[in-house]
């Protein structure tokens, strides 16, 4: 393995903490050796997740976290891992598509990826896909938006084809019959000026809350929401520093990494796409209204937030405890 291509953050090596249940056979022996490939900006959190899996559940499992420092070495690092003696090669980040494509060429190797969205494609038998399922959270955001709006009009800005829009609208309908929603779809290359024009149109037409599914482009809308004295609900993983963002989704990558390692170690079936979400504890809602920011809200909004929190707790509990179909 060329040192110039691979940067190993840590090798976790210990022994199996608990035995398999009666009649269950793990795909891998106790002393297995996994590689987990990730991008530089995720390396620390992936390492933390691997630590959890090894220290708490699989002390004999060894996991090397391999960090990609730049795009030019991405495929070379994956190929280097394939040529090594790893029992399984896992990934999170921009290498996941490369890992999936190479799994077709190396059918005797075991591969898996943690992805932000499902690829919705047929997969080879030696590859498992695990993805963050935001749909239930979008449904809850719709319920929250209806509870918080005064005008009963809510705007949505999303990338074209995002299916979470329908889940949000379903949440609005679930919360009340007279919600009015206006949707604007944008492309990845839509500029901030265009986003601000769309926000002006929505807020001027009566929308007092805008639900966004546009990743970091949400930042462009914060000033506009503050200018209008309106609010934003974010359906993506987002950490706000401004009280105009009332509600968002939080993502626990560390826990998801630990779960994926465990599922592969326990013999997860290949060729499948597996959703990880609210029930697994890797996605949840996050309120950005703290005691300090509450002081800047009128009494009407303060009351609505209390009511919305209560309603969302009930729906959240129902979604978590709903039997699998």
């Amino acid at each position: 393995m060329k040192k110039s291509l691979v940067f190993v953050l840590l090798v976790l090596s210990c022994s199996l903490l608990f035995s398999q249940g009666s009649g269950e056979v793990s795909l891998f022996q106790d002393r297995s050796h996994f590689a987990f490939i990730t991008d530089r900006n995720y390396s620390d959190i992936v390492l933390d997740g691997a630590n959890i899996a090894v220290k708490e559940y699989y002390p004999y499992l060894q996991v090397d976290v391999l960090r990609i420092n730049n795009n030019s070495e991405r495929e070379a690092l994956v190929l280097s891992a394939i040529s090594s003696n790893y029992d399984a090669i896992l990934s999170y980040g921009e290498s996941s598509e490369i890992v999936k494509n190479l799994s077709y060429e190396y059918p005797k190797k075991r591969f898996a990826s943690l992805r932000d969205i499902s690829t919705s494609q047929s997969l080879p038998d030696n590859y498992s896909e695990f993805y963050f399922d935001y749909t239930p959270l979008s449904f809850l955001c719709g319920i929250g938006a209806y509870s918080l709006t005064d005008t009963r009009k809510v705007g949505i800005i999303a990338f074209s084809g995002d299916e979470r829009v329908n889940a949000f609208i379903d949440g609005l309908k679930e919360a009340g019959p007279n919600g009015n929603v206006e949707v604007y779809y944008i492309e990845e290359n839509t500029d901030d000026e265009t986003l601000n024009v769309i926000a002006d149109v929505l807020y001027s037409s009566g929308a007092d809350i805008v639900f966004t599914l546009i990743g970091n482009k949400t930042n462009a809308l914060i000033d506009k929401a503050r200018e209008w004295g309106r609010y934003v609900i974010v359906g993506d993983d987002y950490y706000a520093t401004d009280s105009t963002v009332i509600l968002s989704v939080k993502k626990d990558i560390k826990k998801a990494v630990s779960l994926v390692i465990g599922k592969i170690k326990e013999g997860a079936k290949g060729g499948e796409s597996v959703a990880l979400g609210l029930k697994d504890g890797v996605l949840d809602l996050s309120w950005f209204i703290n005691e300090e920011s509450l002081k800047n809200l009128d009494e009407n909004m303060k009351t609505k937030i209390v009511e919305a929190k209560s309603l969302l707790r009930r729906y959240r509990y129902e979604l978590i405890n709903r039997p699998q179909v």
Side-chain angles (χ1 to χ4, degrees), residues 228-239:
W228 279 90
R230 308 291 170 83
Y231 301 97
V232 176
I233 293 178
V234 186
D236 298 304
D237 180 35
Y238 187 83
Y239 295 92

Side-chain angles (χ1 to χ4, degrees), residues 89-102:
I89 297 169
L90 290 66
S91 69
Y92 176 64
E94 294 184 23
S95 298
S96 294
E97 192 65 19
I98 294 175
V99 168
K100 185 192 75 173
N101 292 337
L102 288 174

Side-chain angles (χ1 to χ4, degrees), residues 220-233:
L221 301 176
I222 301 302
D223 289 340
K224 186 60 63 174
R226 189 188 307 110
E227 178 184 320
W228 279 90
R230 308 291 170 83
Y231 301 97
V232 176
I233 293 178

